[in-house]
C-alpha cells in the first residue's frame, strides 16, 4: 500500500497527523488517494448518521458589517452593497415559514452590526425560543465578548458558528485588516465552547495565500478546539473586494478536506456549503459523497437575498424557501440520502449505541 494511503489509515486510527504528514498528504493527493479517503469518510458518515442529512434554515438578518475582511462582499468598504436589516417581525416570519417546512434549527447570521444591541438580540432569541421550544437556535454574528456570548446563551441560543478562516498567523493577516487578529478569533471560539454552545468553526479553501502548510495548521487547530461542526467552502472572489481578481478555490481540494475532516473526527457535523454549490452545480451532492451530512438552505425573504452577497454568483437568491427545501430534498434522494426534520444535534447527544465506534 502506498505511503499516502497509510497516512489516511493513521489518521483514521489515531485522529492525529504531524504537520509534515498533513502537508505530504495534501500535496500528494490524487484521484486514487481521494477515492480511498472518500470511501472511509462515507463509512463513518453512515456509522454515526446513517444516510440522514440534517438541515439548518439560514436567516441572513443584516448585511451591515463593521469589519473589512478583504475577501468578503459585505465588508464595510464596499459602497455598492445595498444594506438592509430585518426587523424582529420579519425574522419571526422566516421562522414560521421554516418551521412549517420542517426546519428545527434556525441560524441567525449577520454581519457585525452594532444596531443589534445585546438587549435586542436577547429579546429576539428568547422570543423565538419561546415560540419554538423544540428548535435549536444557532447564532453566526461574529466576534463578541465572553459576557455577551454568555448572555445570548442564557437567552436561549444553543449553537454558534464562527469560522476561524485560517489558523496560520501570517495568512490570517493577509486576509484581514490589522485590527482583526487570529488570537482574538481563537479566544472567541474557546469562550463559546466553555459557555456550552455547540460550536462550529471552519475555513475557506483556496483563499489567497493559502498553502498546504496553512491547511495543515487548520486541521491541527480543529483537532485542538474539538468543535461540533466545521463549515468549509471554496473561496469565491467577489467583484467589489480587494480580492476581485484572485483565483477561487477548487471543488476538488474542498472535497478532499471534507473527507479528511470526516475521517479525523467521524462524528462531526459537516455542511455541504452553498459556496460549494455555487462553483459546481452538483457541488453539494459531491460534498455529501465526500463525507458531509448537513445542508443549510436559505430562509431569508427573497427580497433581501441578493443583497447578502458574500461572493459572486451565489445560488438560490431567486428561490423561495419552499423551493429550496424541495429541491434539496430531491437532490439528496437522487444520491441515496434523506433530508430529515430533526434538530440534528451532535452525535454525542444521541443514544449511546449509535455512537460507539
Ligand atoms: N468566498 C467564500 N466564502 C466566503 N465567506 C466570506 N466571503 C467569502 C468568499 N468571498 C465565508 C467566510 C465566512 C462565511 C460566513 O462566509 O468563511 O465566515
Ligand atoms: Fe435552492 Fe436548489 S437548493 S434551488
Amino acid at each position: 500500500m502506498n505511503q499516502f494511503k497509510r497516512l489516511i489509515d493513521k489518521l483514521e486510527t489515531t485522529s492525529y497527523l504531524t504537520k509534515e504528514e498533513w502537508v505530504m498528504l495534501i500535496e500528494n493527493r490524487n484521484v486514487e488517494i481521494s477515492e480511498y479517503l472518500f470511501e472511509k469518510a462515507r463509512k463513518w458518515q453512515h456509522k454515526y448518521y446513517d444516510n440522514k442529512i440534517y438541515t439548518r434554515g439560514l436567516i441572513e438578518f443584516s448585511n451591515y458589517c463593521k469589519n473589512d475582511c478583504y475577501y468578503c462582499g459585505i465588508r464595510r468598504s464596499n459602497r455598492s452593497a445595498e444594506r438592509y436589516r430585518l426587523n424582529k417581525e420579519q425574522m419571526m416570519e422566516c421562522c414560521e415559514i421554516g418551521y412549517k417546512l420542517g426546519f428545527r434549527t434556525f441560524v441567525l447570521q449577520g454581519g457585525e452590526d452594532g444596531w443589534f444591541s445585546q438587549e435586542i438580540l436577547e429579546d429576539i432569541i428568547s422570543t423565538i425560543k419561546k415560540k419554538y421550544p423544540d428548535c435549536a437556535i444557532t447564532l453566526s454574528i461574529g466576534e463578541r465578548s465572553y459576557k455577551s456570548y454568555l448572555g445570548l446563551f442564557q437567552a436561549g441560543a444553543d449553537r454558534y458558528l464562527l469560522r476561524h478562516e485560517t489558523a496560520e498567523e501570517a495568512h490570517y493577516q493577509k486576509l484581514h485588516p490589522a485590527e482583526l487578529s487570529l488570537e482574538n478569533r481563537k479566544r472567541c471560539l474557546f469562550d463559546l465552547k466553555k459557555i456550552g454552545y455547540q460550536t462550529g468553526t471552519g475555513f475557506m479553501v483556496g483563499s489567497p495565500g493559502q498553502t498546504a502548510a496553512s491547511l495543515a495548521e487548520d486541521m491541527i487547530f480543529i483537532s485542538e478546539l474539538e468543535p461540533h461542526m466545521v463549515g468549509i467552502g471554496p473561496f469565491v472572489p467577489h467583484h467589489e473586494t480587494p480580492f476581485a481578481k484572485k483565483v477561487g478555490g477548487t471543488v476538488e481540494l474542498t472535497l478532499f478536506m471534507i473527507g479528511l475532516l470526516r475521517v479525523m473526527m467521524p462524528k462531526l457535523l459537516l455542511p455541504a456549503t452553498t459556496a460549494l454549490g455555487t462553483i459546481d452545480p452538483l457541488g453539494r451532492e459531491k460534498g455529501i459523497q465526500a463525507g458531509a451530512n448537513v445542508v443549510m438552505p436559505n430562509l431569508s425573504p427573497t427580497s433581501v437575498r441578493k443583497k447578502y452577497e458574500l461572493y459572486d454568483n451565489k445560488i438560490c437568491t431567486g428561490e423561495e424557501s419552499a423551493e429550496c427545501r424541495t429541491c434539496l430534498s430531491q437532490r439528496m434522494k437522487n444520491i441515496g440520502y434523506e433530508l430529515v426534520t430533526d434538530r440534528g444535534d451532535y452525535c454525542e447527544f444521541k443514544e449511546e449505541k449509535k455512537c460507539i465506534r
Side-chain angles (χ1 to χ4, degrees):
M1 197 197 297
N2 85 38
Q3 57 171 320
F4 307 113
K5 289 187 184 171
R6 273 207 301 271
L7 284 180
I8 293 172
D9 291 350
K10 179 184 170 189
L11 180 65
E12 183 177 38
T13 44
T14 67
S15 294
Y16 176 83
L17 294 183
T18 64
K19 183 170 178 186
E20 293 68 34
E21 288 172 330
W22 279 120
V23 171
M24 281 256 286
L25 182 53
I26 293 165
E27 283 183 342
N28 291 286
R29 70 188 190 280
N30 58 31
V31 175
E32 190 189 331
I33 293 165
S34 300
E35 265 319 309
Y36 184 78
L37 172 69
F38 298 151
E39 253 173 55
K40 285 193 187 293
R42 285 191 292 265
K43 181 186 84 185
W44 289 111
Q45 172 198 53
H46 278 88
K47 178 164 178 73
Y48 292 121
Y49 296 104
D50 202 3
N51 70 336
K52 307 282 183 279
I53 302 299
Y54 300 105
T55 52
R56 281 85 170 87
L58 190 61
I59 304 170
E60 298 159 334
F61 69 91
S62 168
N63 71 348
Y64 283 86
C65 192
K66 69 172 199 284
N67 291 333
D68 219 14
C69 309
Y70 303 140
Y71 46 84
C72 184
I74 63 167
R75 62 200 299 268
R76 68 161 186 264
S77 296
N78 180 6
R79 305 273 165 240
S80 1
E82 224 186 291
R83 306 289 169 171
Y84 74 91
R85 285 184 187 105
L86 299 185
N87 60 33
K88 185 179 169 185
E89 288 63 43
Q90 290 171 304
M91 292 165 77
M92 293 308 293
E93 200 176 319
C94 294
C95 294
E96 198 176 319
I97 294 170
Y99 193 88
K100 285 188 185 139
L101 289 172
F103 290 96
R104 294 297 176 268
T105 295
F106 302 119
V107 183
L108 308 183
Q109 185 175 87
E112 293 195 17
D113 178 1
W115 187 91
F116 287 92
S117 63
Q118 185 74 15
E119 198 187 340
I120 292 177
L121 286 169
E122 287 179 10
D123 173 59
I124 293 169
I125 293 164
S126 56
T127 308
I128 297 176
K129 198 68 185 181
K130 210 162 162 191
K131 186 148 183 220
Y132 304 103
D134 56 330
C135 293
I137 300 179
T138 305
L139 301 177
S140 178
I141 50 176
E143 298 179 17
R144 311 177 69 88
S145 65
Y146 184 92
K147 191 162 165 245
S148 167
Y149 285 146
L150 182 63
L152 301 172
F153 186 76
Q154 287 165 345
D158 307 273
R159 307 180 183 151
Y160 206 102
L161 305 179
L162 184 74
R163 291 188 180 177
H164 65 278
E165 312 298 357
T166 173
E168 192 178 50
E169 191 67 53
H171 186 217
Y172 196 91
Q173 287 169 23
K174 279 188 202 151
L175 302 181
H176 303 96
E179 66 264 23
L180 293 173
S181 73
L182 178 58
E183 192 193 353
N184 193 53
R185 198 84 177 168
K186 288 185 175 174
R187 189 272 303 159
C188 289
L189 284 161
F190 285 105
D191 281 356
L192 289 163
K193 274 208 69 180
K194 190 167 169 199
I195 291 168
Y197 282 96
Q198 290 179 51
T199 305
T201 192
F203 55 91
M204 287 176 290
V205 175
S207 58
Q210 185 178 67
T211 61
S214 340
L215 291 167
E217 294 287 357
D218 288 323
M219 297 305 281
I220 291 165
F221 171 66
I222 288 166
S223 62
E224 284 166 8
L225 177 68
E226 295 190 77
H228 303 91
M229 184 188 254
V230 177
I232 66 170
F235 160 69
V236 184
H238 183 286
H239 63 283
E240 291 282 355
T241 63
F243 289 168
K245 296 277 181 300
K246 301 285 186 191
V247 282
T250 64
V251 177
E252 184 272 322
L253 181 53
T254 307
L255 298 178
F256 193 71
M257 299 311 297
I258 290 175
L260 290 175
L261 285 162
R262 172 63 65 211
V263 172
M264 177 169 82
M265 296 167 72
K267 294 181 188 174
L268 264 187
L269 292 160
L270 272 173
T273 56
T274 306
L276 190 55
T278 293
I279 63 165
D280 182 330
L282 292 176
R284 286 167 299 178
E285 287 88 333
K286 291 175 186 172
I288 301 294
Q289 289 167 323
N293 65 337
V294 175
V295 287
M296 300 175 64
N298 212 306
L299 279 182
S300 314
T302 35
S303 58
V304 304
R305 283 199 194 182
K306 260 210 108 40
K307 300 176 189 164
Y308 200 84
E309 192 191 40
L310 306 179
Y311 45 82
D312 288 346
N313 306 315
K314 190 171 159 212
I315 53 169
C316 297
T317 55
E319 280 74 14
E320 294 290 343
S321 305
E323 292 177 274
C324 282
R325 175 93 195 182
T326 317
C327 168
L328 271 173
S329 176
Q330 186 57 49
R331 282 169 180 266
M332 295 302 114
K333 217 168 142 190
N334 292 345
I335 54 167
Y337 289 81
E338 187 197 350
L339 207 65
V340 294
T341 297
D342 185 312
R343 277 172 51 125
D345 284 294
Y346 184 71
C347 188
E348 74 185 358
F349 300 113
K350 291 186 191 158
E351 73 273 32
E352 259 304 299
K353 65 177 189 324
K354 226 184 147 187
C355 293
I356 289 168
R357 193 166 165 179

PDB file of all heavy atoms in Angstrom, residues 71-72 109 163 165 204 234-236 310-311, ligand 1:
ATOM      1  N   TYR A  71     -11.801  39.475   1.679  1.00  0.00           N
ATOM      2  CA  TYR A  71     -12.466  38.515   0.782  1.00  0.00           C
ATOM      3  C   TYR A  71     -13.975  38.726   0.719  1.00  0.00           C
ATOM      4  O   TYR A  71     -14.635  38.212  -0.180  1.00  0.00           O
ATOM      5  CB  TYR A  71     -12.189  37.079   1.261  1.00  0.00           C
ATOM      6  CG  TYR A  71     -12.370  36.882   2.759  1.00  0.00           C
ATOM      7  CD1 TYR A  71     -13.625  36.625   3.311  1.00  0.00           C
ATOM      8  CD2 TYR A  71     -11.280  36.986   3.630  1.00  0.00           C
ATOM      9  CE1 TYR A  71     -13.791  36.472   4.680  1.00  0.00           C
ATOM     10  CE2 TYR A  71     -11.432  36.826   5.007  1.00  0.00           C
ATOM     11  CZ  TYR A  71     -12.687  36.578   5.525  1.00  0.00           C
ATOM     12  OH  TYR A  71     -12.837  36.438   6.878  1.00  0.00           O
ATOM     13  N   CYS A  72     -14.532  39.474   1.656  1.00  0.00           N
ATOM     14  CA  CYS A  72     -15.983  39.416   1.862  1.00  0.00           C
ATOM     15  C   CYS A  72     -16.763  40.532   1.164  1.00  0.00           C
ATOM     16  O   CYS A  72     -16.436  41.723   1.296  1.00  0.00           O
ATOM     17  CB  CYS A  72     -16.264  39.460   3.364  1.00  0.00           C
ATOM     18  SG  CYS A  72     -18.015  39.289   3.721  1.00  0.00           S
ATOM     19  N   GLN A 109     -27.803  34.629  11.018  1.00  0.00           N
ATOM     20  CA  GLN A 109     -26.479  35.066  10.576  1.00  0.00           C
ATOM     21  C   GLN A 109     -26.525  36.520  10.123  1.00  0.00           C
ATOM     22  O   GLN A 109     -27.494  36.952   9.508  1.00  0.00           O
ATOM     23  CB  GLN A 109     -25.988  34.188   9.426  1.00  0.00           C
ATOM     24  CG  GLN A 109     -24.560  34.522   9.001  1.00  0.00           C
ATOM     25  CD  GLN A 109     -24.011  33.565   7.944  1.00  0.00           C
ATOM     26  OE1 GLN A 109     -24.214  33.770   6.752  1.00  0.00           O
ATOM     27  NE2 GLN A 109     -23.347  32.519   8.380  1.00  0.00           N
ATOM     28  N   ARG A 163     -16.319  30.807  11.872  1.00  0.00           N
ATOM     29  CA  ARG A 163     -15.179  30.191  11.185  1.00  0.00           C
ATOM     30  C   ARG A 163     -13.888  30.883  11.607  1.00  0.00           C
ATOM     31  O   ARG A 163     -13.860  32.109  11.718  1.00  0.00           O
ATOM     32  CB  ARG A 163     -15.352  30.316   9.673  1.00  0.00           C
ATOM     33  CG  ARG A 163     -16.475  29.459   9.120  1.00  0.00           C
ATOM     34  CD  ARG A 163     -16.418  29.510   7.613  1.00  0.00           C
ATOM     35  NE  ARG A 163     -17.436  28.723   6.979  1.00  0.00           N
ATOM     36  CZ  ARG A 163     -17.598  28.672   5.653  1.00  0.00           C
ATOM     37  NH1 ARG A 163     -16.799  29.376   4.851  1.00  0.00           N
ATOM     38  NH2 ARG A 163     -18.538  27.922   5.122  1.00  0.00           N
ATOM     39  N   GLU A 165     -11.357  30.872   9.715  1.00  0.00           N
ATOM     40  CA  GLU A 165     -10.918  31.340   8.383  1.00  0.00           C
ATOM     41  C   GLU A 165      -9.544  30.823   7.961  1.00  0.00           C
ATOM     42  O   GLU A 165      -9.375  30.345   6.848  1.00  0.00           O
ATOM     43  CB  GLU A 165     -10.973  32.872   8.228  1.00  0.00           C
ATOM     44  CG  GLU A 165     -12.283  33.540   8.693  1.00  0.00           C
ATOM     45  CD  GLU A 165     -13.543  33.123   7.945  1.00  0.00           C
ATOM     46  OE1 GLU A 165     -13.437  32.329   6.996  1.00  0.00           O
ATOM     47  OE2 GLU A 165     -14.641  33.576   8.334  1.00  0.00           O
ATOM     48  N   MET A 204     -12.027  28.807   4.639  1.00  0.00           N
ATOM     49  CA  MET A 204     -12.219  28.797   3.189  1.00  0.00           C
ATOM     50  C   MET A 204     -11.098  27.984   2.565  1.00  0.00           C
ATOM     51  O   MET A 204      -9.966  27.998   3.051  1.00  0.00           O
ATOM     52  CB  MET A 204     -12.179  30.223   2.647  1.00  0.00           C
ATOM     53  CG  MET A 204     -13.428  31.017   2.986  1.00  0.00           C
ATOM     54  SD  MET A 204     -13.307  32.716   2.435  1.00  0.00           S
ATOM     55  CE  MET A 204     -12.071  33.337   3.558  1.00  0.00           C
ATOM     56  N   PRO A 234     -15.213  26.600  -0.790  1.00  0.00           N
ATOM     57  CA  PRO A 234     -14.180  27.247  -1.592  1.00  0.00           C
ATOM     58  C   PRO A 234     -14.248  28.766  -1.454  1.00  0.00           C
ATOM     59  O   PRO A 234     -15.344  29.325  -1.312  1.00  0.00           O
ATOM     60  CB  PRO A 234     -14.543  26.831  -3.020  1.00  0.00           C
ATOM     61  CG  PRO A 234     -16.019  26.573  -2.968  1.00  0.00           C
ATOM     62  CD  PRO A 234     -16.290  26.022  -1.601  1.00  0.00           C
ATOM     63  N   PHE A 235     -13.111  29.422  -1.486  1.00  0.00           N
ATOM     64  CA  PHE A 235     -13.089  30.874  -1.634  1.00  0.00           C
ATOM     65  C   PHE A 235     -13.612  31.187  -3.033  1.00  0.00           C
ATOM     66  O   PHE A 235     -13.217  30.553  -4.010  1.00  0.00           O
ATOM     67  CB  PHE A 235     -11.664  31.414  -1.471  1.00  0.00           C
ATOM     68  CG  PHE A 235     -11.481  32.790  -2.067  1.00  0.00           C
ATOM     69  CD1 PHE A 235     -12.098  33.896  -1.495  1.00  0.00           C
ATOM     70  CD2 PHE A 235     -10.721  32.968  -3.219  1.00  0.00           C
ATOM     71  CE1 PHE A 235     -11.966  35.158  -2.066  1.00  0.00           C
ATOM     72  CE2 PHE A 235     -10.581  34.227  -3.794  1.00  0.00           C
ATOM     73  CZ  PHE A 235     -11.204  35.322  -3.214  1.00  0.00           C
ATOM     74  N   VAL A 236     -14.550  32.133  -3.118  1.00  0.00           N
ATOM     75  CA  VAL A 236     -15.108  32.567  -4.399  1.00  0.00           C
ATOM     76  C   VAL A 236     -14.929  34.077  -4.462  1.00  0.00           C
ATOM     77  O   VAL A 236     -15.423  34.794  -3.583  1.00  0.00           O
ATOM     78  CB  VAL A 236     -16.622  32.221  -4.492  1.00  0.00           C
ATOM     79  CG1 VAL A 236     -17.178  32.589  -5.862  1.00  0.00           C
ATOM     80  CG2 VAL A 236     -16.885  30.757  -4.182  1.00  0.00           C
ATOM     81  N   LEU A 310     -21.893  37.510  -0.190  1.00  0.00           N
ATOM     82  CA  LEU A 310     -20.532  37.393   0.334  1.00  0.00           C
ATOM     83  C   LEU A 310     -19.546  37.176  -0.798  1.00  0.00           C
ATOM     84  O   LEU A 310     -18.385  37.549  -0.719  1.00  0.00           O
ATOM     85  CB  LEU A 310     -20.442  36.217   1.317  1.00  0.00           C
ATOM     86  CG  LEU A 310     -21.441  36.200   2.473  1.00  0.00           C
ATOM     87  CD1 LEU A 310     -21.230  34.972   3.335  1.00  0.00           C
ATOM     88  CD2 LEU A 310     -21.323  37.459   3.317  1.00  0.00           C
ATOM     89  N   TYR A 311     -20.042  36.535  -1.879  1.00  0.00           N
ATOM     90  CA  TYR A 311     -19.188  36.236  -3.046  1.00  0.00           C
ATOM     91  C   TYR A 311     -20.080  36.252  -4.283  1.00  0.00           C
ATOM     92  O   TYR A 311     -21.321  36.225  -4.173  1.00  0.00           O
ATOM     93  CB  TYR A 311     -18.509  34.869  -2.871  1.00  0.00           C
ATOM     94  CG  TYR A 311     -19.431  33.782  -2.392  1.00  0.00           C
ATOM     95  CD1 TYR A 311     -20.257  33.095  -3.286  1.00  0.00           C
ATOM     96  CD2 TYR A 311     -19.527  33.456  -1.036  1.00  0.00           C
ATOM     97  CE1 TYR A 311     -21.129  32.116  -2.846  1.00  0.00           C
ATOM     98  CE2 TYR A 311     -20.406  32.485  -0.592  1.00  0.00           C
ATOM     99  CZ  TYR A 311     -21.199  31.814  -1.495  1.00  0.00           C
ATOM    100  OH  TYR A 311     -22.076  30.854  -1.061  1.00  0.00           O
TER     101      TYR A 311
HETATM  102  N1  LIG B   1     -15.871  33.233  -0.721  1.00  0.00           N
HETATM  103  C1  LIG B   1     -16.220  32.164   0.017  1.00  0.00           C
HETATM  104  N2  LIG B   1     -16.617  32.244   1.289  1.00  0.00           N
HETATM  105  C2  LIG B   1     -16.686  33.473   1.843  1.00  0.00           C
HETATM  106  N3  LIG B   1     -17.029  33.859   3.077  1.00  0.00           N
HETATM  107  C3  LIG B   1     -16.948  35.201   3.136  1.00  0.00           C
HETATM  108  N4  LIG B   1     -16.539  35.698   1.956  1.00  0.00           N
HETATM  109  C4  LIG B   1     -16.355  34.629   1.133  1.00  0.00           C
HETATM  110  C5  LIG B   1     -15.932  34.486  -0.207  1.00  0.00           C
HETATM  111  N5  LIG B   1     -15.591  35.529  -0.960  1.00  0.00           N
HETATM  112  C6  LIG B   1     -17.326  32.915   4.153  1.00  0.00           C
HETATM  113  C7  LIG B   1     -16.421  33.166   5.355  1.00  0.00           C
HETATM  114  C8  LIG B   1     -17.413  33.498   6.456  1.00  0.00           C
HETATM  115  C9  LIG B   1     -18.683  32.847   5.973  1.00  0.00           C
HETATM  116  C10 LIG B   1     -19.929  33.415   6.562  1.00  0.00           C
HETATM  117  O1  LIG B   1     -18.654  33.053   4.580  1.00  0.00           O
HETATM  118  O2  LIG B   1     -15.693  31.980   5.662  1.00  0.00           O
HETATM  119  O3  LIG B   1     -17.024  33.006   7.714  1.00  0.00           O
END
